[in-house]
Amino acid sequence: MKKVLLQSAVAAAISMSLMTTATAQESSALDIGRLALAGYGDVTYIDQPNMKDEDGNDIQNNVVARFVPIFLFQLSEKIHIEAELEFSTNAEGETETELEYANMHYFFNDNTIITAGKFLLPFGQFAANIHPSWINKAASNPGIYGGHGGNGSLAGVTYIMNDTGVNVSNTWDLGDAGRIFTDFYAVSGPRQEAGDHGGGVEIESKKGDNNDSMALGGRIAYAFLPEWEIGMSYYSGAYSDDGDLNYSAYNIDFNWIGSYSSVRGEIFGSTAETEGEDEGEEEGHGEEWVKDFDKSGWYIQGTWQARQLGKSWLNPVEFVVRYSDIESDFDGSIEHDFEEDGGKTGSRIYYGVNYWLEPSAVLKLGAESTSIENEEASHTSVPDDRIFLQLAFGF
């Protein structure tokens, strides 16, 4: 689905998770042995009044830009190859390059696709299908997702997850009753960050693996197109260097699209096992323990198109509102291991208005405000308000 979404704004508005069908449609548009180029890009101005960095210095307003080409190649009728590169400038004006994914699809039959390589994990809706800036209705990511441009003072529950491994996706056509989509994958899995005892969990894909176990996961969704879809995802794998500590996460996503409005959202929960040592009063050391660190979050987003009013000059105008919330059971006992997760929970609200220049080009004006609930748990947490002006395009 993500490939059709990156090539068609119309498909992005009316489809949700037709990964198998959409991939097949894209494939039919390519000749065997032909290379095709798709992708997206954006330029974003961010106004950040009263924000501070970790050293207490003012964070300056900045302009960032990205260009994200997607290369598509049909090796044969059954084997297709795709890769996405991201070229971006950061707040310091430096150019960064990242391989988002690079994989091969094997069309086993009309309903089954086997993917091998580095790919976006089918975990929820936003990460795999909605995060490209011209498809994302807001100029920033939902609060539960960190990375990809930063998340201000609110730490995301997860990143836009990609990893290396194998995925098997199926589409089950139920006729008038709708469709069922399934994905099951095995990937390298999470890894342990540097730190005393357990250390934090790093989900971003890296070369190789730090232990002998793979992470397993998948998503099952039911869709009654083109109006609504609901899906459930799960992910679990050992993250510590010795393979003794586990990280697991779940996601429930929903999506409804009407003639002039839409509502989507996700509920995300994660649990990381951590290990430590209680200090005894006499000997100075106590027994080792394993404690679960839970972190969860959710967001809900609504859009409305002003063309419902019947005025032609309002046809390109779209309004967006999104609310995000993050919670954790951080109590300081695992501060050295999960310090970055400690004091960055709270809520965020985003308001925006979009003006569609073309079906695949949009000008966004948005403002978001963040409230930190446990600022005392981390010295680096500060509430922030940000204003965005973004031009995003797909091709």
Side-chain angles (χ1 to χ4, degrees):
M1 169 174 179
K2 59 179 178 292
K3 296 181 280 297
V4 170
L5 286 172
L6 294 174
Q7 297 178 60
S8 170
V10 176
I14 65 173
S15 64
M16 291 171 260
S17 174
L18 290 174
M19 184 172 181
T20 304
T21 303
T23 306
Q25 291 174 349
E26 174 200 276
S27 305
S28 64
L30 294 176
D31 296 329
I32 295 177
R34 178 185 174 188
L35 178 69
L37 181 67
Y40 65 97
D42 56 70
V43 180
T44 308
Y45 170 75
I46 308 174
D47 181 58
Q48 305 171 111
N50 303 320
M51 282 192 67
K52 307 285 184 181
D53 61 19
E54 295 183 2
D55 299 322
N57 302 315
D58 290 336
I59 295 179
Q60 302 298 317
N61 304 333
N62 58 72
V63 178
V64 294
R66 291 188 299 170
F67 178 69
V68 188
I70 300 174
F71 303 92
L72 307 168
F73 182 77
Q74 183 168 335
L75 189 64
S76 67
E77 290 186 359
K78 285 187 171 292
I79 299 177
H80 302 166
I81 298 170
E82 66 168 341
E84 177 183 303
L85 290 173
E86 179 175 315
F87 302 96
S88 62
T89 58
N90 57 26
E92 289 73 34
E94 300 172 340
T95 300
E96 299 177 342
T97 304
E98 180 180 356
L99 178 65
E100 190 81 7
Y101 56 80
N103 53 64
M104 181 187 73
H105 300 293
Y106 177 72
F107 292 81
F108 185 75
N109 55 41
D110 291 342
N111 301 317
T112 305
I113 299 176
I114 301 173
T115 300
K118 183 178 181 181
F119 54 91
L120 297 176
L121 300 190
F123 189 88
Q125 273 275 7
F126 183 83
N129 300 323
I130 312 299
H131 82 271
S133 54
W134 74 280
I135 299 174
N136 181 8
K137 298 294 186 178
S140 64
N141 289 347
I144 66 174
Y145 287 97
H148 272 69
N151 211 28
S153 60
L154 190 66
V157 185
T158 184
Y159 294 95
I160 294 175
M161 298 165 66
N162 58 20
D163 210 337
T164 303
V166 177
N167 177 71
V168 179
S169 61
N170 281 275
T171 300
W172 311 89
D173 194 340
L174 306 180
D176 294 339
R179 293 180 181 178
I180 294 177
F181 306 101
T182 62
D183 284 273
F184 299 101
Y185 54 83
V187 292
S188 294
R191 63 180 57 238
Q192 180 176 346
E193 292 180 334
D196 297 333
H197 304 301
V201 180
E202 187 176 13
I203 308 177
E204 292 181 292
S205 176
K206 296 290 181 67
K207 181 180 179 180
D209 198 358
N210 65 324
N211 52 51
D212 294 331
S213 63
M214 301 190 73
L216 302 177
R219 178 176 182 266
I220 299 176
Y222 174 74
F224 191 78
L225 300 173
E227 292 185 348
W228 59 269
E229 176 181 340
I230 184 169
M232 297 184 64
S233 307
Y234 185 75
Y235 174 91
S236 179
Y239 77 91
S240 60
D241 294 337
D242 57 15
D244 290 340
L245 299 178
N246 194 71
Y247 173 84
S248 61
Y250 70 87
N251 184 297
I252 300 173
D253 63 84
F254 56 91
N255 189 14
W256 174 82
I257 296 178
S259 299
Y260 304 100
S261 57
S262 69
V263 178
R264 72 165 60 250
E266 296 183 17
I267 302 170
F268 188 103
S270 65
T271 299
E273 295 178 341
T274 69
E275 65 181 11
E277 190 177 79
D278 289 326
E279 292 187 359
E281 295 181 359
E282 298 180 357
E283 300 179 1
H285 295 282
E287 296 182 356
E288 292 186 355
W289 48 262
V290 174
K291 176 181 178 180
D292 289 343
F293 172 55
D294 296 325
K295 193 171 185 183
S296 61
W298 58 274
Y299 80 89
I300 187 169
Q301 172 185 292
T303 67
W304 178 71
Q305 298 174 355
R307 64 186 179 89
Q308 185 177 8
L309 299 177
K311 304 293 184 180
S312 59
W313 62 276
L314 287 175
N315 287 350
V317 178
E318 180 181 46
F319 295 93
V320 184
V321 61
R322 183 176 65 205
Y323 182 85
S324 305
D325 187 85
I326 295 178
E327 297 180 351
S328 79
D329 61 359
F330 181 86
D331 59 6
S333 63
I334 53 174
E335 180 176 358
H336 295 295
D337 302 340
F338 289 83
E339 185 174 1
E340 292 299 318
D341 295 291
K344 298 184 178 181
T345 61
S347 60
R348 168 174 289 166
I349 190 165
Y350 174 97
Y351 299 99
V353 56
N354 301 335
Y355 189 88
W356 288 90
L357 306 171
E358 297 289 341
S360 60
V362 57
L363 183 64
K364 307 176 190 176
L365 176 63
E368 65 181 21
S369 179
T370 302
S371 298
I372 300 298
E373 296 176 352
N374 59 341
E375 184 178 354
E376 69 281 357
S378 173
H379 299 295
T380 62
S381 296
V382 291
D384 68 271
D385 299 304
R386 298 191 288 180
I387 298 174
F388 301 90
L389 181 62
Q390 181 183 83
L391 174 63
F393 58 90
F395 60 91

